[in-house]
Amino acid sequence: MDFDSTFELQDLIKNYPTKAQQKLAELRQLIIDTAKETKGVNKLLETTKWGEPSYVTKTGSTIRMDWKERVPDKYYLYFICTTQLVDTFRIIFGDELQFEGNRAIALDLDRPIPSDALKRCIVLALTYKKVKDLPMLGV
């Protein structure tokens, strides 16, 4: 898989609290590693959308991540709200993950990243254009 970054993540989040910086760095690495392991994902572009680190691939739906000062104990993994992604994640991982509306997974800064569940969510987002017409996105 080809990885291309158009910005420096550290420049964008350098004013965030240390713990948020660390969690976003871990989440970034999980997205990159998952993209490398996902069949059909040939290129991942790291860029910014709405001032947030974003990950784009031709086969999927944009993934964004960020920390918000108004909710300092959480950080977020965002998805396009018009997709079926978060609704599907809620059905599959309703007991494991916290959600914000139909656009985000809310994560606690003081807890380990739920890597296994997030990895499955990331795969579905990275391949969304291929699975969007399947019941439950093919899960």
Side-chain angles (χ1 to χ4, degrees):
M1 183 212 60
D2 194 20
F3 175 68
D4 186 20
S5 180
T6 61
F7 78 105
E8 287 294 323
L9 181 72
Q10 291 304 319
D11 288 343
L12 187 62
I13 64 170
K14 67 183 175 187
N15 294 319
Y16 290 176
T18 302
K19 194 179 286 188
Q21 290 181 41
Q22 293 168 344
K23 290 294 188 175
L24 290 172
E26 287 179 54
L27 192 53
R28 174 185 185 260
Q29 195 60 54
L30 182 64
I31 293 168
I32 294 167
D33 291 346
T34 302
K36 287 178 182 178
E37 298 168 6
T38 302
K39 185 178 177 183
V41 175
N42 298 321
K43 183 174 184 176
L44 181 69
L45 173 65
E46 181 178 54
T47 188
T48 57
K49 289 188 181 221
W50 300 281
E52 299 167 344
S54 302
Y55 301 87
V56 181
T57 181
K58 289 185 179 192
T59 56
S61 181
T62 300
I63 301 169
R64 294 178 293 121
M65 64 179 190
D66 204 14
W67 171 85
K68 304 291 184 194
E69 191 172 357
R70 62 181 161 71
V71 188
D73 60 336
K74 300 222 181 268
Y75 61 109
Y76 299 88
L77 192 58
Y78 293 101
F79 305 90
I80 296 174
C81 63
T82 56
T83 67
Q84 302 167 44
L85 289 165
V86 174
D87 289 338
T88 302
F89 302 159
R90 188 177 276 111
I91 292 167
I92 300 168
F93 299 110
D95 294 337
E96 294 178 60
L97 300 174
Q98 296 177 344
F99 301 93
E100 184 177 281
N102 62 349
R103 69 185 200 113
I105 296 172
L107 301 158
D108 292 324
L109 281 178
D110 292 326
R111 293 191 176 188
I113 289 179
S115 298
D116 293 340
L118 288 183
K119 189 172 185 173
R120 289 183 60 199
C121 296
I122 292 165
V123 167
L124 287 173
L126 293 172
T127 60
Y128 185 72
K129 290 178 182 173
K130 295 179 176 184
V131 300
K132 66 182 180 179
D133 294 324
L134 299 173
M136 290 284 299
L137 305 179
V139 176

